Amino acid sequence: MSFRRSHLLGLSGLTAGEIGDLLDRAEGYWDAAAHAGWRTATPVSGLSVVNLILEPSTRTRCSFEIAEQRLGLEHLSVGSDGLSLIKGETLSDTGRTLRSMGVNVFVVRHPEVGAPARMAEELPEAHVINAGDGTGEHPTQGLLDLLVLRRQWGSIEGRRIVVIGDVLHSRVARSTVHGFSALGGSTTLCGPAHLMPEAGGWPGTTIEDDLDRALAGADAVMALRIQRERFGAGELLPDRAGYRARYGLTSDRVARLAPETAIIHPGPFNRDVEIDGDVVDSGRTEVWRQVRAGVAVRMATLAAIGEVHADSAPAARAGAGE
Ligand code: CP
């Protein structure tokens, strides 16, 4: 089944067919993703995009902007310091204000879980892409992880990934694990007990406390940053040296991995905590291919939403002032 949704709010609930369709489309943009100045011969028409980036971002923000540019889309990006949210305006009124200027796609990064979904409900005639909502989901990051791994293996079916670290606070882990499971893979979660998700909460996962046991026979391993900014009062922050010894992807651990085990990390890295700087710099990981995949996946998502928009009833679009 093709991806035919108005919004991309998460990978949970998407079918294998929908995820596969977005990955197939992204494959078609693989060369364009790393090609400076590339422009599509068939611009996506009818979309005007605002990237509402209300939390810090390097990879997601810049790759959406590059994707929009290469697809020939009208676009701009704004952060929380440049918006009237600071004067008390609601996100929904910000959206309505931009809708009145003809904006019809919102790429939303927000510190609160569910903020993009609420915006999608409140602006039903617009399209919303979740670019990371608190500890919720980060669907385009999940897609780019899947794209890199699928390129390497041909298929995710029957593969096992080990996800290490602060899973509890990680929207990346939630999206990647949902996508991995939908495509027939399984996941081992490994990290401090208080940073693991609730029992039975995630599909296709098991928890293993010992990292070296978890890594034996793994097809891929994903290291996660400790999300210090998302810890609440009273939540215990691991000490960095102890964490590295027990859960870090150190040079020694990587040397013991099978050569074909893929190493991914969503970035940004805390070098020599969850992953050694030497491992990042070794050329042994997929981290820079993940960044390239980010542009391809965001082009694919925008192009798919452009098709949905073009096919939507002209009367509905006229009612929305377009
Ligand atoms: N992986 C990721 O979302 O990175 P940014 O926070 O830099 O966008």
Side-chain angles (χ1 to χ4, degrees), residues 79-91:
S80 36
D81 57 346
L83 287 170
S84 288
L85 290 165
I86 207 161
K87 303 177 203 163
E89 183 170 76
T90 65
L91 185 61

Side-chain angles (χ1 to χ4, degrees), residues 56-61 109 138 141 266-268:
S57 169
T58 300
R59 279 147 283 268
T60 310
R61 174 184 177 144
R109 168 161 292 198
H138 192 352
Q141 175 72 44

